[in-house]
Amino acid sequence: MSGRIPREAQIMKKTLAIVLAASILAACASTGNRVVREDVDGIVNFARIGTTVACAGAITPDSVTDIKDMGFASIINLRRASEEGANIDAEAAAADAAGINFVHLPFGGPNLEHSVADDFLETITGSGTEPAFIHCAGGGRAATMWFIKRVIVDEWDVDRAMEEATALGLNPESRLREYALSYVADKT
């Protein structure tokens, strides 16, 4: 032999390289979508998915600068102004001072309106919105909206999106889960 690698060995080597590269990419992609919980001063139930989104509960206006410093482009607040501890005006002013986009989409109470989810989808897919920091009082409504986005926009299957939303803070036994499932059923 003249030191040449037989054709079958070349094909096998290329095939193994492709399989290895695909495995590495898949591992990196799955790690990037893992929900990570962190303790952050002034933020209740902070849960992040890579650099794409964070869902959380109540925040203080003082935490807005920290949210901006974490690299988020926008804050989407789902709290109703009538909720105890919700200080929408102070949070909006803090966001303005920090130079971060602030969107208030009140969601909750006895009537869960589909129009709020419609507005959320329009907001989250808008230019300059992601990475987004989405919050409510405890994190469940934020995770509900992210679930809807995953199914409607990202075309994830319901089970995969629900697993992620549960890790973000959606209670699988809550009426929010039923609302989210009803919404995606109506829209798909």
Side-chain angles (χ1 to χ4, degrees):
M1 290 194 126
S2 63
R4 289 182 36 109
I5 299 173
R7 179 149 173 76
E8 295 82 20
Q10 288 177 348
I11 292 171
M12 179 70 84
K13 189 176 179 181
K14 285 182 182 178
T15 302
L16 286 172
I18 291 169
V19 169
L20 179 61
S23 297
I24 291 169
L25 286 173
C28 290
S30 67
T31 302
N33 288 335
R34 191 180 81 233
V35 174
V36 176
R37 293 198 163 276
E38 300 173 39
D39 290 327
V40 179
D41 288 339
I43 302 174
V44 174
N45 297 331
F46 182 83
R48 174 196 313 246
I49 303 172
T51 58
T52 305
V53 70
C55 292
I59 69 169
T60 63
D62 292 341
S63 67
V64 170
T65 301
D66 295 331
I67 293 166
K68 170 77 173 176
D69 290 346
M70 287 182 230
F72 292 100
S74 64
I75 296 173
I76 301 172
N77 183 334
L78 301 172
R79 298 188 76 184
R80 293 169 294 135
S82 61
E83 291 179 44
E84 184 177 333
N87 193 340
I88 308 304
D89 292 338
E91 186 178 326
D96 187 52
I100 187 171
N101 186 32
F102 178 83
V103 179
H104 182 224
L105 299 173
F107 177 64
N111 299 315
L112 302 175
E113 301 291 330
H114 278 13
S115 62
V116 178
D118 295 339
D119 292 344
F120 173 80
L121 291 174
E122 185 176 329
T123 299
I124 198 70
T125 58
S127 176
T129 302
E130 287 191 41
F133 181 91
I134 309 161
H135 83 95
C136 53
R141 289 174 283 173
T144 298
M145 289 298 168
W146 189 250
F147 165 84
I148 289 169
K149 188 261 188 194
R150 286 297 207 191
V151 175
I152 301 297
V153 176
D154 299 336
E155 299 180 351
W156 280 25
D157 67 74
V158 169
D159 291 338
R160 178 181 177 203
M162 187 58 69
E163 182 179 333
E164 181 182 71
T166 301
L168 286 168
L170 176 61
N171 179 344
E173 303 301 319
S174 73
R175 71 187 188 104
L176 289 171
R177 178 184 181 276
E178 297 308 315
Y179 164 83
L181 291 172
S182 170
Y183 181 89
V184 298
D186 288 350
K187 299 292 180 171
T188 54

